[in-house]
């Protein structure tokens, strides 16, 4: 366990050991990662960590007084519990600083067999109010909860003010379909869900086809999007496709844009939010390094009382944003 104590932690993604080093070297307080199997909600081919890589990553991070969190945030399927329980055992044995869980059964297992292991409630747990978070604290002793990206600023403040559990919010990265932790959309096209298999668009099901009508992105044969000349093409996920609805073709569920809360940073820190999460374990080490560097500088500026959302920071973040566009997401939406 590291001894670093920080009043506001920058939590950055790592889909590989080079990404972990990029995050640590550029100022992440914590790095989160996952195993290379279905226990991980980002179980993309060619990414993630085996036991040897996790040991190397923890050694690298701890030598620099940074923390490593393990995301074990899918739901065990009947008959497959041993894989998930074994993953908790492996995480504890490796010396991670916390495990990020969604499933109550796994929390019970972790609390009983590894009482010293710090537990964080994953965004996949979909806890959007104080009552839900207090349930997990009371029953399993969670130390932190990651809020889903569906709450307004006022709702985030209400949660932070009424629980002793540390609250972590998303600061930057791709948006997931609203009502997180319950996504079953991909199951209809690919037969797999991020909640059970750890991936919403398995690479083996993705096809790109250039046709006279444009560049088509398909998932298991289902047309997700069609791009014209010069249009930026994003990785096809079912929630971010353009579909014909009532005679109109548009992004009917979610637009391919990145959440970017940089301008809200001082407000979130003043509320008492404990940590800011950067999304993107499927992204490159260069992405991780660039985004981490910007947010480290911004957080340090806010702590020093001289924060302003510099245009240069926004430009650097927009350069790696999904669709090269950003949004404040639910933080600025009027509906609740």
């Amino acid at each position: 366990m590291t001894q670093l104590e920080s009043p506001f932690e920058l939590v950055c993604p790592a889909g590989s050991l080079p990404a972990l080093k990029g995050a640590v070297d550029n100022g992440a307080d914590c790095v989160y990662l996952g195993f290379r199997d279905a226990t991980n909600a980002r179980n993309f081919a060619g990414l993630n960590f085996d036991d040897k890589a996790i040991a190397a990553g923890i050694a690298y991070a701890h030598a620099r007084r940074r923390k490593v969190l393990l995301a074990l945030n899918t739901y065990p399927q009947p008959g497959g519990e041993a894989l998930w329980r074994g993953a908790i055992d492996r995480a504890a044995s490796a010396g991670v600083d916390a495990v990020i869980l969604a499933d109550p059964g796994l929390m019970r297992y972790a609390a009983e067999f590894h009482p010293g292991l710090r537990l964080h409630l994953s965004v996949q747990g979909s806890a959007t109010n104080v009552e839900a978070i207090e349930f997990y604290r009371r029953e399993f002793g969670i130390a932190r909860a990651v809020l889903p990206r569906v709450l307004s600023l006022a709702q985030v403040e209400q949660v932070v003010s009424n629980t002793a559990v540390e609250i972590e919010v998303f600061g930057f990265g791709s948006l997931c379909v609203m009502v997180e932790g319950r996504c079953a959309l991909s199951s209809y096209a690919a037969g797999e869900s991020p909640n059970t298999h750890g991936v919403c668009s398995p690479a083996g099901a993705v096809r790109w086809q250039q046709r006279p009508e444009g560049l088509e992105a398909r998932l298991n044969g289902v047309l997700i999007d069609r791009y014209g000349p010069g249009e930026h093409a994003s990785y096809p996920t079912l929630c971010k496709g353009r579909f014909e609805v009532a005679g109109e073709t548009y992004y009917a569920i979610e637009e391919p844009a990145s959440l970017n809360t940089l301008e809200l940073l001082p407000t979130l820190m003043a509320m008492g939010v404990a940590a800011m999460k950067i999304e993107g374990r499927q992204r490159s080490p260069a992405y991780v390094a660039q985004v981490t560097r910007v947010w480290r500088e911004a957080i340090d500026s806010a702590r020093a009382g001289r924060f302003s959302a510099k245009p240069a920071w926004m430009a650097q973040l927009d350069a790696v944003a999904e669709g090269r566009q950003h949004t404040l997401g639910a933080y600025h939406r009027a509906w609740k």
Side-chain angles (χ1 to χ4, degrees), residues 24-205:
V24 169
D25 293 347
N26 284 279
D29 295 307
C30 309
V31 177
Y32 67 103
L33 49 79
F35 286 125
R36 193 175 292 165
D37 56 35
T39 65
N40 176 2
R42 287 292 181 272
N43 185 27
F44 289 92
L47 293 177
N48 301 311
F49 289 73
D50 58 18
D51 289 340
K52 182 179 179 181
I54 283 185
I58 290 174
Y60 190 87
H62 284 183
R64 292 155 181 82
R65 296 175 58 79
R66 314 300 170 81
K67 300 175 183 175
V68 175
L69 318 178
L70 186 115
L72 209 160
N73 50 359
T74 56
Y75 292 86
Q77 298 304 291
E81 298 89 347
L83 175 66
W84 277 262
R85 291 173 179 171
I88 293 175
D89 298 337
R90 292 165 61 195
S93 177
V96 300
D97 296 280
V99 175
I100 308 169
L101 294 171
D103 182 77
L106 293 178
M107 289 189 188
R108 176 67 70 200
Y109 178 85
E112 181 175 352
F113 290 96
H114 302 285
L117 185 60
R118 180 179 166 99
L119 303 183
H120 291 186
L121 176 63
S122 169
V123 67
Q124 297 296 104
S126 201
T128 57
N129 55 55
V130 171
E131 289 76 14
I133 292 168
E134 285 297 300
F135 167 81
Y136 287 104
R137 183 194 60 79
R138 184 175 62 250
E139 296 297 324
F140 311 115
I142 64 165
R144 178 179 295 182
V146 185
L147 292 186
R149 289 156 282 192
V150 298
L151 301 182
S152 67
L153 272 177
Q155 289 170 319
V156 171
E157 185 172 29
Q158 196 274 337
V159 170
V160 172
S161 300
N162 289 282
T163 179
V165 174
E166 296 175 5
I167 296 300
E168 181 175 312
V169 300
F170 279 85
F172 183 82
S174 293
L175 284 167
C176 186
V177 66
M178 295 303 186
V179 195
E180 291 168 278
R182 301 168 193 170
C183 180
L185 282 173
S186 300
S187 298
Y188 294 100
E192 297 181 2
S193 160
N195 296 328
T196 55
H197 291 76
V199 61
C200 54
S201 290

Side-chain angles (χ1 to χ4, degrees), residues 4-12 27-30 65-67 69 118 120 144-145 147 153 156 160 166-172 261-278 291-292 294-304 307 331:
L4 177 68
E5 293 295 335
S6 172
F8 188 83
E9 292 184 335
L10 177 59
V11 184
C12 295
D29 295 307
C30 309
R65 296 175 58 79
R66 314 300 170 81
K67 300 175 183 175
L69 318 178
R118 180 179 166 99
H120 291 186
R144 178 179 295 182
L147 292 186
L153 272 177
V156 171
V160 172
E166 296 175 5
I167 296 300
E168 181 175 312
V169 300
F170 279 85
F172 183 82
T261 66
L262 193 71
E263 65 186 82
L264 302 177
L265 181 58
T267 302
L268 292 166
M269 294 173 75
M271 282 181 185
V273 167
M276 177 73 72
K277 180 186 286 290
I278 306 299
V291 174
T292 302
V294 170
W295 279 89
R296 177 77 274 153
E297 188 175 344
I299 290 170
D300 290 345
S301 294
R303 280 178 172 158
F307 177 88
Y331 290 114

Side-chain angles (χ1 to χ4, degrees), residues 243-328:
F243 303 103
E244 183 177 324
V245 180
E248 183 182 359
T249 301
Y250 67 111
Y251 292 106
I253 303 175
E254 186 64 86
E255 294 187 8
S258 285
L259 177 71
N260 183 357
T261 66
L262 193 71
E263 65 186 82
L264 302 177
L265 181 58
T267 302
L268 292 166
M269 294 173 75
M271 282 181 185
V273 167
M276 177 73 72
K277 180 186 286 290
I278 306 299
E279 190 273 348
R281 281 186 287 147
Q282 74 279 26
R283 303 293 293 270
S284 70
Y287 164 92
V288 172
Q290 180 164 328
V291 174
T292 302
R293 187 163 51 247
V294 170
W295 279 89
R296 177 77 274 153
E297 188 175 344
I299 290 170
D300 290 345
S301 294
R303 280 178 172 158
R306 47 181 171 74
F307 177 88
S308 66
K310 296 180 181 178
W313 291 342
M314 302 302 275
Q316 290 180 64
L317 294 177
D318 279 348
V320 295
E322 187 173 2
R324 295 184 180 273
Q325 302 177 77
H326 70 261
T327 172
L328 285 173

